[in-house]
Amino acid sequence: MRDRPSGTTPHQLDPHARRILERAELEGIELIRFLYADHAGVIRGKAASRSRLAERLGTGIGHTVAMMAMNMLDQLQEVEQMGPVGEVRIVPDPATYVPLPHAPGAAAMLSDLRLPDGTPWGACARTFLKDAIAELRTEGYTLVAAFEPEFTLGRRLPDPAGGYDRLVPLDDSLCYATTGFDAAHDYTIKLVRALETQGLRVEHYHPELGPGQQELSVRHAPALRAADNHVIYRETVRGVATRMQMWASLAPKPLADQAGNGAHLHLSLWHDTRNVFAEDTEVRDGFIGGLLAHLPALTALTCGSVNSFRRLAPRTWAGAYAVYGPDNREAAIRVCSPLGETGEPNLELKPSDSSANPYLSLGAVIHAGLDGIRRKLDPGEAVDVDPDTRPGRYPRLPGSLDEALDALEADEVLMEALGPLRRSAYLAVKRSEAAAFAARDASYELFHHLRVF
């Protein structure tokens, strides 16, 4: 792909790109961040200046291939084709442009990682989700999804004993208690306004179970938009907090003795304007059967960190057992009751959190469900009790990141879907994180996760 001449003018661009340039000038935007999610689940990127934006919308920004072999501790792993030699481009999607209210003068776009000739790169996570969506479309289906994130709001303070910084929760309110609403009110209103400005429609909000824990959900969207929304959500939740001299962490377990933060994944399958889960129980059961069959491996992608497995435990409503059931919040897959007469049924995947790369997570879920549909997998009997009350009867999900990665390596369907470059890099990055945290104490792990996610 050749660079655009520096004299490129708006009328030479497509309508999307032209509108971006007009908005950036009108809104006083000086820097536009081109964002992507890496194999560690970290949101990274580079920024273009407004003066070069017309050019960079076409060319992207140059980027070393090595960054997709970087773990969450910024330790570069040895992955073939991801060393000091090689270049990709961070190419933004103009349809994803949003201002960043917490960073006046800045905006962002979600981006693909492409080779210099403009073709997709085999390690691009966003492309992985696009390919999964296209594969699902060959069967006549589209997926609508929404992440349901929780996060802990407080202040990051130095440890008086000289250890790692601590996250001190904003309040000690009870679950859904009005004192929690009041304590977080100023922050929450700013967050809601910021998200709505970015086109994310807020569904509901409440203070959750742990001290300082919040839950704020945005409306469902087609699969790619849902993953893009979750990246913007993560950035905005943290950015608004920082702007207010607070700290927000979406880490699965930022505080060892408090409730964990999930990002439950809600899913519905559609054919044209029809919700397939509402009309075709065979397809719905096949999709559930596929999720259950691949769930141990899926966990390596939907619960993508060492810290995830502190949260993924029985009797925490995290879905630690590989079962499904109607409105069963201890099952890994909850079959949700529709809301009202016009509500649509959907599935909730509970072993999911915000340390995952949402593109890899959602793409793998699509591949697993599609495999179940094609093979007409039987999900078995629905479970209507807490599975932990039936010792030994129901299968537990992996108890550590290493166990989940072992399951992923043994899963032929998901390994094939990931492709050679992406799977080798993901496994190398995640194995390195498991080893790094195993060699240190819990405070080291907790600090680095609350800092990064």
Side-chain angles (χ1 to χ4, degrees), residues 43-219:
I43 309 304
R44 301 185 189 262
K46 292 185 176 182
S49 68
R50 188 177 71 198
S51 64
R52 301 300 297 275
L53 182 57
E55 179 181 350
R56 295 305 178 201
L57 285 172
T59 66
I61 299 177
H63 200 49
T64 173
V65 293
M67 286 304 297
M68 285 300 273
M70 192 77 81
N71 69 16
M72 64 169 285
L73 297 170
D74 264 1
Q75 297 167 339
L76 184 61
Q77 303 308 301
E78 290 190 14
V79 177
E80 191 174 356
Q81 302 179 52
M82 289 188 186
V85 179
E87 177 95 351
V88 290
R89 304 286 187 259
I90 311 175
V91 181
D93 180 347
T96 67
Y97 175 94
V98 292
L100 299 177
H102 60 274
M109 286 183 275
L110 287 310
S111 306
D112 298 326
L113 300 178
R114 295 184 173 273
L115 295 171
D117 66 3
T119 57
W121 185 40
C124 174
R126 196 166 184 263
T127 298
F128 174 70
L129 177 54
K130 287 181 177 180
D131 290 345
I133 293 167
E135 186 70 15
L136 186 62
R137 197 178 297 122
T138 65
E139 300 292 332
Y141 303 123
T142 58
L143 189 83
V144 171
F147 290 87
E148 183 188 357
E150 298 161 332
F151 60 94
T152 304
L153 183 65
R155 288 179 171 79
R156 178 175 163 179
L157 300 175
D159 182 3
Y164 298 105
D165 287 2
R166 300 173 300 139
L167 177 61
V168 179
L170 179 70
D171 60 52
D172 57 0
S173 73
L174 302 176
C175 187
Y176 310 153
T178 55
T179 53
F181 279 95
D182 291 339
H185 176 77
D186 291 349
Y187 168 83
T188 306
I189 294 300
K190 286 182 183 295
L191 176 60
V192 168
R193 288 173 177 166
L195 294 172
E196 294 282 354
T197 297
Q198 296 168 322
L200 277 67
R201 295 173 58 192
V202 173
E203 287 273 84
H204 59 77
Y205 160 77
H206 58 263
E208 254 288 351
L209 177 62
Q213 191 178 42
Q214 317 293 315
E215 181 177 312
L216 187 148
S217 299
V218 299
R219 190 159 178 78

Side-chain angles (χ1 to χ4, degrees), residues 192-434:
V192 168
R193 288 173 177 166
L195 294 172
E196 294 282 354
T197 297
Q198 296 168 322
L200 277 67
R201 295 173 58 192
V202 173
E203 287 273 84
H204 59 77
Y205 160 77
H206 58 263
E208 254 288 351
L209 177 62
Q213 191 178 42
Q214 317 293 315
E215 181 177 312
L216 187 148
S217 299
V218 299
R219 190 159 178 78
H220 55 259
L224 182 62
R225 177 64 187 271
D228 288 340
N229 283 349
H230 192 51
V231 173
I232 295 301
Y233 180 98
R234 285 174 54 178
E235 291 294 287
T236 305
V237 161
R238 296 188 55 154
V240 171
T242 301
R243 189 80 178 171
M244 297 180 67
Q245 288 76 53
M246 292 191 287
W247 194 262
S249 177
L250 293 96
K253 196 81 166 178
L255 303 170
D257 59 346
Q258 297 297 336
N261 295 318
H264 303 161
L265 181 54
H266 288 260
L267 309 158
S268 58
L269 201 63
W270 293 76
H271 177 75
D272 295 329
T273 59
R274 295 185 296 107
N275 184 334
V276 179
F277 289 165
E279 300 180 355
D280 193 328
T281 55
E282 182 177 317
V283 171
R284 189 205 67 174
D285 287 352
F287 195 94
I288 294 172
L291 293 182
L292 291 173
H294 296 285
L295 201 49
L298 271 177
T299 305
L301 295 158
T302 61
C303 298
S305 68
V306 169
N307 193 243
S308 298
F309 294 86
R310 288 185 180 274
R311 168 186 168 266
L312 193 58
R315 305 219 170 175
T316 63
W317 292 21
Y321 286 89
V323 298
Y324 80 103
D327 286 327
N328 188 340
R329 287 174 168 80
E330 279 289 358
I333 301 166
R334 178 170 77 99
V335 182
C336 304
S337 298
L339 289 172
E341 294 183 1
T342 60
E344 298 286 355
N346 70 92
L347 304 178
E348 178 187 35
L349 182 69
K350 298 187 73 67
S352 168
D353 64 57
S354 291
S355 69
N357 178 316
Y359 303 105
L360 296 181
S361 172
L362 189 48
V365 164
I366 290 173
H367 281 292
L370 186 55
D371 182 53
I373 291 172
R374 287 170 170 169
R375 293 200 287 145
K376 299 183 178 179
L377 294 180
D378 183 357
E381 186 179 351
V383 175
D384 60 1
V385 298
D386 179 350
D388 200 54
T389 63
R390 304 289 191 271
R393 181 170 177 179
Y394 302 112
R396 274 286 308 275
L397 292 179
S400 69
L401 180 58
D402 268 329
E403 287 182 29
L405 293 170
D406 289 344
L408 178 60
E409 284 195 88
D411 191 303
E412 294 180 4
V413 170
L414 294 185
M415 290 292 278
E416 176 66 22
L418 287 167
L421 184 58
R422 193 179 289 109
R423 68 185 178 231
S424 62
Y426 188 82
L427 289 167
V429 165
K430 290 302 170 184
R431 292 287 190 194
S432 74
E433 291 176 0

